[in-house]
Amino acid sequence: MEYRFEIVSLLVSPRHAYFGRPKDGPADEVETSTPDSVAIVADKGIRGDRFYGVRAHTEAAVTFLAIEAWQSAAGDADPALARRNVVVRGLELDPLRGREFSIDTGDGPVTFRGGRPAHPCSWMDTVAGEGTRKALIGRGGLRAQPLTSGVLRIGPALIITDIELDAARAADQVKRAQPTG
């Protein structure tokens, strides 16, 4: 099945910004870029990102977040605060857990395997407003392993998957906490 959606933003950061205790505040001057395109490398992640080539994160090297879920939880707060790599509009993410899917933004398809949910951390209350973490539970995004290399770009995109998706459910909270496949 094929579905059209939009990549709203991309985020690449060579270092973590949120570590330690939220009351101490985020790390100072963590270089973060929001490029128009990113290079995806099979089994490594996004070139230049903090999870790139980190063995412990191979199955979760790229994180996706539905803007609809973010806005339901955090209102007008900048979605870059969630530190997810790929923010999408019009794409239900939860059914992709445990599934292979391909995304094409014009440079050919990049194939991923959906992994575990990207659970929100307590930092969300500090950086995006009190209650954001709780509101994001069950809709904090999807971690994925890139199976092929390629490029993702901001703008119109096409996803090819073997499972039915419903863009109207992009903001819905889900109860399951582990991959389905």
Side-chain angles (χ1 to χ4, degrees), residues 21-95:
R21 296 180 181 181
K23 69 178 182 159
D24 297 331
D28 292 333
E29 300 181 32
V30 172
E31 178 185 339
T32 300
S33 64
T34 53
D36 291 337
S37 66
V38 292
I40 307 287
V41 179
D43 293 316
K44 290 190 183 261
I46 295 175
R47 192 177 307 282
D49 191 65
R50 63 204 177 279
F51 295 118
Y52 182 81
V54 177
R55 182 172 289 223
H57 291 281
T58 300
E59 294 178 358
V62 179
T63 55
F64 291 84
L65 175 66
I67 190 72
E68 297 90 343
W70 176 258
Q71 289 171 337
S72 290
D76 293 333
D78 184 352
L81 295 171
R83 311 277 299 156
R84 302 295 189 249
N85 300 120
V86 184
V87 179
V88 299
R89 175 179 285 118
L91 180 62
E92 182 186 21
L93 295 171
D94 186 63

Side-chain angles (χ1 to χ4, degrees), residues 104-163:
D104 191 340
T105 58
D107 294 285
V110 181
T111 302
F112 297 88
R113 179 180 299 112
R116 66 186 186 273
H119 297 299
C121 67
S122 58
W123 279 95
M124 293 301 96
D125 287 344
T126 301
V127 299
E130 192 65 37
T132 301
R133 180 193 162 282
K134 185 175 181 179
L136 278 173
I137 293 173
R139 57 178 161 195
L142 175 72
R143 298 181 184 280
Q145 175 182 5
L147 301 177
T148 63
S149 299
V151 173
L152 292 183
R153 297 182 183 282
I154 289 177
L158 178 72
I159 186 169
I160 302 163
T161 180
D162 66 348
I163 191 153

